[in-house]
Amino acid sequence: MPSTYLQSLQKDGFVIIPSLLPPSSKEFATLKQAAITATTNTRTGAWPYFRTVPKQFPPWPTNVPPPASEGGIWGVQHLLHPDMPGREDFARFYFDDRILGVVEELLGLDSAGGEAKKDDNEMLVMELFNLLVAPETHDFALRWHRDDIPETVSPAEEEKLLASKSPGGRQSHAQYNLALCDDSSLIVIPGSHRRVRTETERAADPYENDLPGQLVVELKAGDAVFYDSNILHRGVYKAKEDGGEESRLTLHGSVGIKETEDGGGDGSKKVRATAVLQHGVGAWVQREDAAFGIGERAEKMRANLVAMGTGEGVGYSLQG
């Protein structure tokens, strides 16, 4: 029988796990400080990988971040990069059994009795690990979207893509937000991951504040939400107070499952490779100093990402 987590994900398109990282723990404090440092470095131009207001999708700029008066940044990229201060703390969390255990449940690997992490055929793939933060000076919002399906497709094509990206009701990856501060930025439409958009949804303004059935995902510090990337969702980012503490520090990660020879063919492999490699992770994951030194499983998962390629010429999933 599907696990409780998987049942919730399949039914609603998301599942909230309270206190996945207890906020009273030393680990939480260490991770939050590492996130604050990463954000400060990025805001001041010391870290060159970021998401900028008002851009929603990659490719991301490669110059210095825009000034605070223009909104600045809303994300810090590549927390697992060899040059990232605090990389070891981020990596320990990303490869932690608490995270990977949930991922295995959601991807149907837990039924194998844990063999995915015991033998040489490691099925999980290291993908992305980023940080979502509050923009400076003014609010910022993302439009309604599915991560890999353009809003311009016809209903028939949308139905076909939804089925191909979740064969048998399961995705080829699991993605999550874990809040290091209370966070109510993610808005979803429960159940929309299993159907085409309604006429109301298709006709709505891309930034509509009140679509029928929408739900604000409320996370307390330490809570995590795992969600299906096909769900209709958007983000609403409240600006941080001028000179105040960081008000949003949300770890945004994804972990994939390695394709088998009969697991969807080259088409589905290319789609997932594009979704991951469009962020530039392929440019550094093969570096000699990219090894984590925290266990064999992390290296096997990294090797599975290396096998995806460098990202040259893969293109981008969405535009804007």
Side-chain angles (χ1 to χ4, degrees), residues 74-308:
W74 62 275
V76 178
Q77 297 285 92
H78 303 314
L79 299 184
L80 300 179
H81 192 290
D83 299 330
M84 164 61 74
R87 182 204 196 209
E88 193 171 304
D89 297 315
F90 292 128
R92 274 197 296 264
F93 177 77
Y94 180 86
F95 294 106
D96 191 283
D97 283 344
R98 286 169 295 182
I99 292 292
L100 299 186
V102 176
V103 169
E104 286 179 340
E105 288 191 43
L106 298 182
L107 297 181
L109 294 178
D110 60 322
S111 60
E115 291 302 315
K117 55 187 172 184
K118 290 179 182 177
D119 61 23
D120 290 333
N121 186 26
E122 172 60 59
M123 291 303 296
L124 294 185
V125 183
M126 169 187 157
E127 290 192 344
L128 303 172
F129 200 35
N130 305 313
L131 181 65
L132 306 178
V133 303
E136 298 172 273
T137 69
H138 57 267
D139 299 344
F140 169 62
L142 307 179
R143 69 178 189 251
W144 287 104
H145 67 284
R146 309 185 196 269
D147 284 352
D148 296 326
I149 302 177
E151 68 273 14
T152 53
V153 297
S154 68
E157 181 67 11
E158 186 175 11
E159 184 174 29
K160 178 181 176 182
L161 288 171
L162 285 170
S164 68
K165 292 176 186 298
S166 298
R170 289 177 178 167
Q171 289 199 306
S172 60
H173 70 287
Q175 67 185 46
Y176 61 88
N177 289 353
L178 184 132
L180 298 173
C181 305
D182 292 354
D183 189 346
S184 57
S185 301
L186 178 65
I187 305 174
V188 300
I189 299 182
S192 60
H193 62 307
R194 290 289 181 265
R195 61 165 175 79
V196 300
R197 286 165 292 169
T198 65
E199 288 302 318
T200 297
E201 291 163 350
R202 282 182 167 272
D205 184 274
Y207 300 93
E208 172 60 53
N209 286 320
D210 192 22
L211 275 182
Q214 73 174 44
L215 174 74
V216 177
V217 177
E218 301 277 0
L219 300 178
K220 295 292 185 183
D223 294 352
V225 57
F226 285 75
Y227 61 100
D228 190 309
S229 64
N230 290 331
I231 197 171
L232 278 172
H233 65 285
R234 66 189 296 247
V236 176
Y237 291 51
K238 297 291 292 183
K240 68 186 291 285
E241 292 186 11
D242 187 24
E245 296 181 355
E246 294 294 341
S247 55
R248 188 186 192 205
L249 295 165
T250 295
L251 298 171
H252 179 56
S254 69
V255 181
I257 183 171
K258 188 168 64 173
E259 291 277 4
T260 57
E261 290 301 316
D262 59 351
D266 292 339
S268 62
K269 290 181 183 179
K270 183 179 184 302
V271 167
R272 194 61 203 153
T274 297
V276 174
L277 297 176
Q278 67 180 339
H279 290 272
V281 64
W284 56 261
V285 71
Q286 303 182 57
R287 279 176 35 171
E288 290 184 1
D289 60 350
F292 294 103
I294 58 172
E296 186 179 8
R297 191 173 200 199
E299 296 314 312
K300 288 180 178 178
M301 290 176 61
R302 183 171 71 91
N304 286 341
L305 173 58
V306 169
M308 275 191 180

Side-chain angles (χ1 to χ4, degrees), residues 44-90:
T44 57
W47 184 250
Y49 307 109
F50 44 78
R51 302 182 181 190
T52 59
V53 176
K55 198 166 186 347
Q56 178 162 349
F57 306 116
W60 308 110
T62 56
N63 54 346
V64 296
S69 60
E70 297 178 13
I73 64 167
W74 62 275
V76 178
Q77 297 285 92
H78 303 314
L79 299 184
L80 300 179
H81 192 290
D83 299 330
M84 164 61 74
R87 182 204 196 209
E88 193 171 304
D89 297 315
F90 292 128

